[in-house]
């Protein structure tokens, strides 16, 4: 009965996604993301609307959430996988360290920022804030051969650091080790996190970035200096 219920709910979400798809959008999105998945052509707001509509009045426990996520993810359809990531992000209280293997597998199978970023920042990030057992997992991810997993290790720090908390020392260690990587998505992630941290703590970012400015890519620097004071920005750019 549980499998039937899960399959039925996944099918309902799928039907909502198809109903919200825009003709002609699918091909453009697939090309933009260089995606190997099938695309229905539903936008992110439309995907979220589909999830809300299908889940209205539905209460999930941990096992039901995981089963539904697995059912949606099993089909190689971008919007279904995005809906699975949305369900994880909107049910953080049901998740814990015991779900680390599941989340790592989904991240490895994502192969696109459009799925990785949501899960790394909005799912893994809050989990790492409340449980230090995630530290060794993130350390391993930060040295992984897969750049999407390395990006995930970085982006797990985004929301905590953005809001004035977070483990700055761990992020700074990862960023320093990856600073000279040529992969765009690593360079962008470092700059993005530095930028958002600087909204509340510009001195922290400036003091870290200035002696490393000559090592950092232009992509990283352009993002990182956006919320620094003009004199700080000028100093970083001069150090390039």
């Amino acid at each position: 009965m549980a499998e039937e219920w899960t399959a039925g709910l996944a099918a309902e979400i799928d039907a909502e996604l198809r109903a919200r798809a825009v003709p002609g959008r699918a091909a453009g999105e697939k090309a933009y993301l260089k995606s190997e998945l099938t695309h229905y052509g539903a936008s992110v707001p439309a995907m979220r609307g589909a999830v809300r509509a299908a889940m209205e009045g539905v209460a999930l426990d941990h096992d039901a959430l995981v089963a539904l996520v697995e059912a949606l993810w099993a089909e190689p359809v971008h919007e279904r996988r995005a809906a699975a990531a949305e369900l994880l992000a909107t049910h953080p209280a049901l998740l814990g360290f015991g779900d680390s293997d599941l989340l790592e597998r989904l991240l490895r199978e994502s192969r696109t920022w459009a799925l990785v970023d949501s899960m790394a920042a909005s799912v893994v990030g809050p989990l790492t804030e409340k449980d230090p057992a995630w530290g060794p997992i993130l350390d391993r991810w930060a040295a992984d051969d897969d750049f999407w997993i390395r990006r995930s290790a970085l982006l797990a720090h985004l929301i905590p650091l953005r809001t004035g908390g977070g483990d700055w020392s761990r992020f700074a260690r990862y960023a320093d080790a990856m600073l000279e990587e040529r992969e765009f998505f690593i360079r962008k992630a470092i700059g993005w996190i530095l930028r958002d941290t600087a909204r509340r703590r510009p001195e922290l970012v400036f003091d870290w970035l200035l002696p490393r400015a000559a090592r950092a890519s232009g992509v990283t620097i352009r993002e990182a200096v956006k919320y620094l004071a003009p004199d700080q920005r000028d100093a970083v750019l001069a150090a390039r």
Side-chain angles (χ1 to χ4, degrees):
M1 183 64 70
E3 284 188 18
E4 291 180 9
W5 180 85
T6 301
L9 189 51
E12 187 175 343
I13 292 173
D14 188 274
E16 293 284 352
L17 290 169
R18 290 174 184 269
R20 288 166 168 75
V22 176
R25 180 186 173 89
E29 185 177 68
K30 184 178 177 72
Y32 172 65
L33 294 177
K34 299 180 175 63
S35 175
E36 297 178 358
L37 301 174
T38 297
H39 285 250
Y40 290 158
S43 66
V44 172
M47 175 275 293
R48 290 174 176 160
V51 172
R52 284 194 301 270
M55 296 301 295
E56 186 173 359
V58 176
L60 298 174
D61 61 16
H62 172 270
D63 291 349
L65 171 63
V66 170
L68 181 56
V69 165
E70 293 275 28
L72 288 166
W73 197 272
E75 297 293 329
V77 177
H78 175 78
E79 287 85 352
R80 286 177 64 108
R81 294 188 173 187
E86 178 71 8
L87 284 165
L88 291 169
T90 54
H91 293 81
L94 297 181
L95 300 168
F97 180 72
D99 299 298
S100 60
D101 287 347
L102 168 67
L103 293 172
E104 181 172 340
R105 175 169 62 80
L106 298 183
L107 286 166
R108 287 190 185 280
E109 293 174 359
S110 293
R111 315 302 302 169
T112 173
W113 62 265
L115 296 173
V116 165
D117 292 8
S118 172
M119 286 190 288
S122 300
V123 182
V124 176
L127 289 174
T128 64
E129 269 288 271
K130 66 183 183 182
D131 190 346
W134 277 88
I137 299 286
L138 293 181
D139 288 348
R140 177 169 58 78
W141 288 5
D144 199 272
D145 289 341
D146 186 339
F147 74 82
W148 291 116
I149 298 299
R150 297 198 302 279
R151 180 175 168 96
S152 297
L154 293 166
L155 290 181
H157 296 83
L158 176 65
I159 293 175
L161 290 173
R162 175 192 290 163
T163 55
D167 189 340
W168 168 259
S169 295
R170 175 170 265 116
F171 162 73
R173 176 159 49 88
Y174 295 171
D176 189 54
M178 298 185 214
L179 198 59
E180 294 173 84
E181 285 202 27
R182 299 189 63 81
E183 173 55 55
F184 170 82
F185 288 103
I186 296 297
R187 293 176 167 186
K188 186 74 170 183
I190 294 171
W192 182 10
I193 297 162
L194 291 172
R195 179 195 71 193
D196 280 22
T197 302
R199 290 174 184 266
R200 290 174 179 258
R201 291 174 285 184
E203 293 294 337
L204 182 67
V205 171
F206 174 70
D207 289 344
W208 184 87
L209 185 59
L210 183 62
R212 296 170 174 83
R215 294 172 50 212
S217 71
V219 171
T220 298
I221 294 291
R222 282 193 295 275
E223 291 295 326
V225 302
K226 284 183 179 178
Y227 294 105
L228 297 183
D231 61 325
Q232 293 174 329
R233 187 181 307 119
D234 291 345
V236 169
L237 295 177
R240 291 273 293 151

